[in-house]
Amino acid sequence: MRRRWGPARGGTAREEFQARIPSSDAGLCFHAYFRLAVDIVGVEEMERVRIRARLRRDVLRAAATAARAFTLGERGVAEAELTCLLLDHDLFDHPRVRDFTVEVRLVGADGEPECRAGAAAVQEFLHGLAPAERSGVLAALAAQMRALDRPDLAERLVRDWTGHD
């Protein structure tokens, strides 16, 4: 039996995807989580898939370009600005897109080497300090990380360096 593809009935397609997007901090990235809901009508399923793929690509490109204006410390503002930008962006202006919504959630990225290039410098700096100096510097770095809403990194830094000579 052959299956025939007919016109799609429409309906909202919901997707969640993630990507690393650059911040204005040299070499540091946001880890961005996107939630996209788009209602595409009047086309067959294969065309719906192509339209959704194009929209995902365009969302990522627009977000990556706009995110370069924000530091990791401005995460909340960046989330709001990126969401507003994407909601107002003309990338959803497609004759078959009837309705859409998009949400962005940002966190500092930990996993990619290119986003962690500064970690080696911090490690080398701390290693070069005398143990008496190191505790004060660790406390100051941890306080700065907490002030930037990253207590997880502060805890890891202190934990990793506690007891190092």
Side-chain angles (χ1 to χ4, degrees), residues 132-164:
E133 296 174 306
R134 190 177 301 136
S135 63
V137 171
L138 276 173
L141 286 172
Q144 185 65 36
M145 289 176 182
R146 287 184 188 98
L148 293 172
D149 197 24
R150 290 306 308 264
D152 56 321
L153 294 179
E155 305 276 327
R156 186 171 23 167
L157 180 70
V158 171
R159 183 180 59 242
D160 290 349
W161 281 91
T162 301
H164 284 214

Side-chain angles (χ1 to χ4, degrees), residues 114-130:
E114 51 270 358
C115 292
R116 298 184 70 190
V122 170
Q123 298 294 332
E124 186 175 336
F125 174 72
L126 289 172
H127 185 69
L129 294 174

Side-chain angles (χ1 to χ4, degrees), residues 23-128:
S23 73
S24 66
D25 295 319
L28 299 176
C29 299
F30 290 110
H31 196 99
Y33 295 89
F34 298 90
R35 183 175 294 150
L36 175 66
V38 62
D39 193 7
I40 303 169
V41 296
V43 295
E44 294 181 0
E45 183 60 25
M46 293 305 290
E47 183 61 18
R48 286 170 52 90
V49 169
R50 281 191 278 282
I51 291 170
R52 286 193 336 255
R54 248 180 277 143
L55 290 174
R56 276 192 315 272
R57 179 198 65 205
D58 293 345
V59 162
L60 290 173
R61 285 181 178 171
T65 300
R68 293 178 197 272
F70 301 98
T71 66
L72 292 179
E74 299 172 310
R75 180 175 44 94
V77 172
E79 276 181 5
E81 290 292 334
L82 290 178
T83 299
C84 289
L85 168 97
L86 293 172
L87 289 171
D88 293 340
H89 204 285
D90 65 354
L91 63 93
F92 292 99
D93 290 344
H94 188 283
R96 298 299 181 187
V97 174
R98 182 171 52 191
D99 196 16
F100 71 93
T101 187
V102 64
E103 296 174 48
V104 181
R105 189 172 69 86
L106 300 175
V107 296
D110 291 333
E112 283 294 307
E114 51 270 358
C115 292
R116 298 184 70 190
V122 170
Q123 298 294 332
E124 186 175 336
F125 174 72
L126 289 172
H127 185 69

